C-alpha cells in the first residue's frame, strides 16, 4: 500500500532553515507528481509546493513561500524534499506530503494518500 513518511521538522528560530524529507513506497514514485501541504489547527490544509513527474519538472509554490522554499525530488531514492529558508512564525504548521497529478495546463491535484505529517515550529 502507499506509504508516505515525512521527517525533518522541529523547532527553529525565525530566519532559520529546515529541510523536510518524504520517503515514498508502495507505488512507482517517478510516475507521480508530489507535493507538500501544511495545516494549522482550525484551518484548511494548504498547498505549499508541488513538483511534477517526468524529465522536465514543473514546479509551483504558494505565494507566501516563493523565494524562500524549494521543492525537489530524487526518483532514485523515492524521496521528495522541501528546503525551507528564512522561516517565520507564519510557517508554523504540520507539513504533509502528498502524491498526485500535475499535468500541463492544470493545477496540482492531490490524491487521498497522505503521510502522518511533521511539525514545524518557528519561534524564538
Amino acid at each position: 500500500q502507499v506509504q508516505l513518511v515525512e521527517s525533518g521538522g522541529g523547532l527553529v528560530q525565525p530566519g532559520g532553515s529546515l529541510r523536510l524529507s518524504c520517503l515514498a513506497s508502495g507505488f512507482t514514485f517517478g510516475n507521480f507528481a508530489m507535493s507538500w501541504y501544511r495545516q494549522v489547527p482550525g484551518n484548511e490544509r494548504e498547498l505549499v509546493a508541488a513538483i511534477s513527474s517526468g524529465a522536465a519538472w514543473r514546479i509551483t509554490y504558494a505565494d507566501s513561500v516563493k523565494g524562500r522554499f524549494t521543492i525537489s525530488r530524487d526518483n532514485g531514492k523515492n524521496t521528495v524534499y522541501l528546503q525551507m529558508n528564512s522561516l517565520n512564525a507564519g510557517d508554523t504548521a504540520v507539513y504533509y506530503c502528498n502524491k498526485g497529478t500535475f499535468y500541463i495546463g492544470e493545477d496540482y491535484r492531490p490524491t487521498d494518500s497522505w503521510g502522518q505529517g511533521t511539525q514545524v515550529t518557528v519561534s524564538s
Side-chain angles (χ1 to χ4, degrees):
Q1 70 277 20
V2 173
Q3 285 195 318
L4 300 170
V5 180
E6 301 95 338
S7 62
L11 174 64
V12 62
Q13 292 187 342
S17 297
L18 282 175
R19 189 196 196 200
L20 306 184
S21 300
C22 174
L23 177 62
S25 61
F27 63 100
T28 304
F29 181 78
N31 289 351
F32 286 87
M34 297 296 297
S35 66
W36 287 94
Y37 281 71
R38 66 187 181 187
Q39 187 170 27
V40 175
N43 289 5
E44 291 188 357
R45 199 167 291 188
E46 65 167 347
L47 178 66
V48 175
I51 184 168
S52 66
S53 60
W57 296 332
R58 288 177 297 106
I59 291 173
T60 188
Y61 295 99
D63 288 343
S64 59
V65 307
K66 282 180 181 176
R68 300 188 298 121
F69 290 12
T70 302
I71 189 171
S72 62
R73 64 189 296 163
D74 185 336
N75 290 345
K77 295 182 178 180
N78 284 8
T79 301
V80 60
Y81 304 98
L82 186 68
Q83 177 66 44
M84 307 187 295
N85 299 328
S86 301
L87 286 160
N88 58 60
D91 298 315
T92 296
V94 178
Y95 285 72
Y96 299 89
C97 72
N98 177 267
K99 65 183 274 284
T101 61
F102 190 15
Y103 299 122
I104 294 174
E106 296 183 358
D107 294 334
Y108 177 83
R109 293 183 179 181
T111 65
D112 289 334
S113 299
W114 298 95
Q116 81 289 348
T118 185
Q119 176 71 48
V120 171
T121 302
V122 184
S123 175
S124 55

